[in-house]
Amino acid sequence: MENGIYDLDVDFLKNQILFGRDRTEGIVTVEFKAPSSILVYRRGKDGATEREEVAFEPFLWVSEDIGSCETLDGNLPYRFLRRCETWDAFTELRTELKKTGIACFGLSDPIQQYLISTGRTLFKGMEFESLRRLQLDIETCCAEGFSFSHADRDPIAAIALCDNTGWEEILVVEPNSEESERQVLERLTAIIAERDPDVIEGHNLFKFDLPYISTRAKRHKVKLNWGRDGSPIAGRTSRLLIAEKTIQYTRYEIEGRHIVDTFLLAQYYDVGTRELESFGLKNVARHFGVAEEDRVIIPGAQIQNAYLEDRERFITYALQDVRETRALAAVLSASYFIQAQIFPYNYQDVIVRGNATRIDSLFLREYLHRKHSIPECPESRAFEGGYTDIFFTGVKREVWHC
């Protein structure tokens, strides 16, 4: 410590309760491989991404010794730890215990279980700038007589791409050419394999770009094999609570990579500030001062006309969209990069987990490390809102602070 200021590299980052006890550096993502393995992707010293397969034993805490259990210290309700050979065995055991009335607690995410049990976290020894971040934004056509594009009806007009090295490329679909759209989708998949990003970023990716791309790819029988192992992108229906809002969306996952949606990050930011007039890309970019000075603005109803008749302006517009996404993601996601070094989740999951859930994970990791029993989960209960009253009406002048 010098002049009352801690050296974060020496002191803060060595806090094992916060950052976990395993000091393995360069982990960029962790994936579960059935029936009982974990794939650990690490950035090697030569910059290449290495993959290691390690054994994994799922576990759960139980209130009674059901056989083959480890007895934990302390006298809290969950005093035994039971490990299973496979994830299916873990799932079956948890279901059976609930049927028999034996209290148990088990984390439903195998990746979280692995990170908690090993003390590993992502991105140790890395800077945010060393993440390979690729940004994606699509422009779409819209049939005459309609106000909005629809993936079942309207083709993609262009896909703009860039990354944090400064590289950029735009893939333009030739008008009225299904073959051109098919080729653009195939080229997109090839670029992702070539650039090999750790993270794919976009604005409203989950609710627009990825569903749209998936629908058009299905139409053309193009496989979106974006995973680091060559597996296809996968989506499932999910929902997210952000303050008073419930957002229904399709949660997409890519093996070996993360997806970061700046549309969601902007809403998380606004929970505490309430400063954003809207969550559209251009408005949020202006708010954070990352909009380009010579920004081309094309109203939504005129995008298709620009695509058909003013190609240069259309391309500039699309590339500025994806550049602003890159700048916006750098502003809004860097704090989550640090959180991924602390909490036992994949980067994509750290973003959507609530504060209480994330903090609970630190306690569970420490309990497990100390081989100590854990308390019961408190039951959900109703509570009344805050007390409000009115003490004054009218205009109050010369107010200094509220």
Side-chain angles (χ1 to χ4, degrees):
M1 187 172 71
E2 183 176 353
N3 299 324
I5 300 175
Y6 285 95
D7 183 336
L8 295 182
D9 290 333
V10 174
D11 296 299
F12 187 61
L13 297 178
K14 286 188 176 181
N15 185 320
Q16 294 182 340
I17 293 179
L18 276 182
F19 290 91
R21 285 175 163 77
D22 189 293
R23 304 309 302 165
T24 303
E25 296 187 347
I27 298 176
V28 293
T29 188
V30 175
E31 302 288 352
F32 171 63
K33 180 182 177 182
S36 56
S37 295
I38 292 290
L39 302 177
V40 180
Y41 289 86
R42 292 181 60 194
R43 184 65 32 77
K45 293 182 179 179
D46 60 354
T49 304
E50 305 164 350
R51 190 178 82 166
E52 175 191 12
E53 184 171 343
V54 296
F56 166 58
E57 283 188 318
F59 61 89
L60 72 165
W61 288 273
V62 288
S63 60
E64 302 177 21
D65 188 347
I66 57 174
S68 303
C69 283
E70 177 183 355
T71 302
L72 302 173
D73 292 339
N75 58 0
L76 296 174
Y78 293 110
R79 298 188 298 115
F80 302 95
L81 189 75
R82 171 66 185 273
R83 299 186 184 274
C84 303
E85 291 186 357
T86 67
W87 187 256
D88 284 345
F90 161 81
T91 303
E92 291 169 5
L93 176 60
R94 187 172 59 171
T95 301
E96 185 62 30
L97 290 176
K98 288 180 179 178
K99 289 180 180 178
T100 59
I102 296 175
C104 66
F105 175 73
L107 299 165
S108 58
D109 178 3
I111 294 168
Q112 184 187 8
Q113 282 203 22
Y114 171 76
L115 293 175
I116 278 180
S117 63
T118 60
R120 287 182 161 187
T121 60
L122 271 58
F123 306 147
K124 284 191 176 85
M126 296 177 64
E127 301 291 336
F128 180 70
E129 292 73 19
S130 64
L131 265 188
R132 294 176 182 164
R133 301 167 37 236
L134 181 143
Q135 297 76 40
L136 177 155
D137 184 78
I138 68 171
E139 304 298 338
T140 59
C141 299
C142 185
E144 189 174 349
F146 293 90
S147 300
F148 299 100
S149 302
H150 196 288
D152 290 329
R153 178 189 67 229
D154 303 313
I156 294 170
I159 302 176
L161 300 158
C162 67
D163 68 17
N164 58 310
T165 69
W167 165 89
E168 59 185 36
E169 185 170 336
I170 185 162
L171 310 174
V172 181
V173 177
E174 291 305 312
N176 304 314
S177 173
E178 292 207 347
E179 176 62 17
S180 177
E181 186 179 31
R182 183 186 66 78
Q183 291 175 355
V184 160
L185 290 168
E186 289 177 342
R187 176 59 185 151
L188 171 62
T189 296
I191 286 174
I192 290 172
E194 291 166 10
R195 306 301 298 182
D196 192 26
D198 304 315
V199 188
I200 295 177
E201 300 169 338
H203 197 79
N204 210 13
L205 271 179
F206 288 123
K207 297 195 73 173
F208 184 73
D209 297 71
L210 293 181
Y212 211 103
I213 290 171
S214 297
T215 299
R216 299 308 297 177
K218 186 176 181 180
R219 175 187 178 93
H220 297 298
K221 296 181 172 59
V222 173
K223 293 183 178 180
L224 301 176
N225 295 331
W226 294 3
R228 272 190 158 128
D229 63 348
S231 61
I233 185 172
R236 57 182 171 83
T237 301
S238 187
R239 69 173 186 170
L240 184 61
L241 300 176
I242 301 180
E244 72 280 2
K245 290 178 289 188
T246 300
I247 298 175
Q248 304 284 345
Y249 72 107
T250 301
R251 176 191 168 90
Y252 286 92
E253 294 179 340
I254 305 171
E255 203 276 346
R257 311 189 199 279
H258 310 282
I259 304 172
V260 170
D261 192 333
T262 54
F263 177 76
L264 298 180
L265 296 186
Q267 298 194 55
Y268 278 121
Y269 166 83
D270 201 51
V271 168
T273 63
R274 303 293 179 175
E275 295 174 346
L276 297 175
E277 296 177 5
S278 78
F279 299 110
L281 173 62
K282 295 163 190 64
N283 180 75
V284 180
R286 283 195 301 269
H287 175 84
F288 285 101
V290 297
E292 297 195 9
E293 292 183 5
D294 58 348
R295 187 56 159 106
V296 171
I297 299 295
I298 304 177
Q302 299 176 22
I303 289 177
Q304 179 153 321
N305 185 62
Y307 161 64
L308 295 172
E309 300 182 11
D310 193 348
R311 184 64 60 85
E312 183 177 349
R313 185 163 174 261
F314 169 78
I315 288 175
T316 300
Y317 170 83
L319 286 173
Q320 287 180 327
D321 271 2
V322 80
R323 290 174 199 148
E324 289 183 355
T325 300
R326 176 177 59 200
L328 190 59
V331 171
L332 291 174
S333 63
S335 64
Y336 294 103
F337 172 84
I338 299 298
Q339 290 183 49
Q341 297 178 357
I342 296 172
F343 299 109
Y345 299 103
N346 261 336
Y347 183 41
Q348 182 171 337
D349 295 317
V350 163
I351 293 171
V352 298
R353 292 290 188 269
N355 289 334
T357 300
R358 285 181 290 207
I359 293 170
D360 278 348
S361 71
L362 298 186
F363 281 98
L364 289 173
R365 184 171 67 192
E366 190 64 16
Y367 274 117
L368 186 65
H369 170 75
R370 298 189 184 194
K371 298 184 177 181
H372 199 285
S373 54
I374 66 172
E376 290 181 332
C377 299
E379 293 185 5
S380 299
R381 58 186 178 85
F383 61 92
E384 296 182 359
Y387 168 75
T388 61
D389 207 338
I390 298 175
F391 300 99
F392 172 83
T393 60
V395 179
K396 184 67 175 177
R397 302 186 185 281
E398 299 179 0
V399 175
W400 177 65
H401 179 71
C402 289

